[in-house]
Amino acid sequence: MAKYLLLKHYRGAPAAVNDVPMDRWTPEEISAHMRYMDEFAARLEKTGEFVDGQALAPEGTWVRYDGEGRPPVTDGPFAETKDLIAGWMVIDVDSQERAVELAGELSAAPGAGGEPIHEWLEVRPFLTAPPTVTE
């Protein structure tokens, strides 16, 4: 089994087929989308492939270390940022092919008009060992 992170980009990824921003969806469309996400996660819980997942708020703050004894430096929020992660899901599957299969299915979550979004999801494997450096 290998863990993969499925990243749902709200902005910054290639445009989805049904590319209507969520703030223009009806309450029913939002409910249908969230229900699809919950049912997808519940199905993966039954197969043992679901690890965790969360939706994320659009606001955020950048933080970095600024030296010993000094408080962290913060900047933001960056609402105007090009890239915005809407949420994520961690899955534990047998192969990359299975991770891609599930990401494709998750991409079909309904959006505006109840039609599948066909959004792009980023599939990233967890780093299991430091990369080997050869000269």
Side-chain angles (χ1 to χ4, degrees):
M1 298 292 276
K3 289 186 177 136
Y4 288 84
L5 176 65
L6 306 181
L7 282 172
K8 292 177 62 70
H9 291 263
Y10 187 68
R11 284 195 310 262
V17 173
N18 186 357
D19 195 22
V20 178
M22 191 178 242
D23 62 0
R24 295 196 337 229
W25 295 3
T26 67
E28 294 78 17
E29 291 166 341
I30 293 171
S31 292
H33 180 82
M34 298 309 293
R35 187 171 44 258
Y36 182 97
M37 301 296 294
D38 290 342
E39 290 170 357
F40 183 84
R43 187 168 49 83
L44 294 186
E45 282 179 339
K46 289 179 183 171
T47 65
E49 296 173 306
F50 180 81
V51 176
D52 195 11
Q54 296 293 321
L56 298 173
E59 307 83 29
T61 302
W62 289 93
V63 178
R64 73 169 172 81
Y65 174 75
D66 198 37
E68 189 64 38
R70 298 172 67 174
V73 175
T74 60
D75 199 0
F78 292 99
E80 74 283 356
T81 186
K82 178 182 173 198
D83 191 24
L84 176 63
I85 304 296
W88 53 270
M89 182 178 287
V90 176
I91 56 174
D92 195 358
V93 295
D94 289 329
S95 65
Q96 181 178 9
E97 291 76 20
R98 178 65 175 155
V100 168
E101 176 186 344
L102 292 173
E105 189 176 332
L106 191 56
S107 170
E115 296 297 318
I117 299 172
H118 295 277
E119 67 183 330
W120 291 92
L121 283 100
E122 185 177 357
V123 178
R124 301 209 30 203
F126 279 34
L127 184 62
T128 56
T132 304
V133 178
T134 58
E135 310 226 12

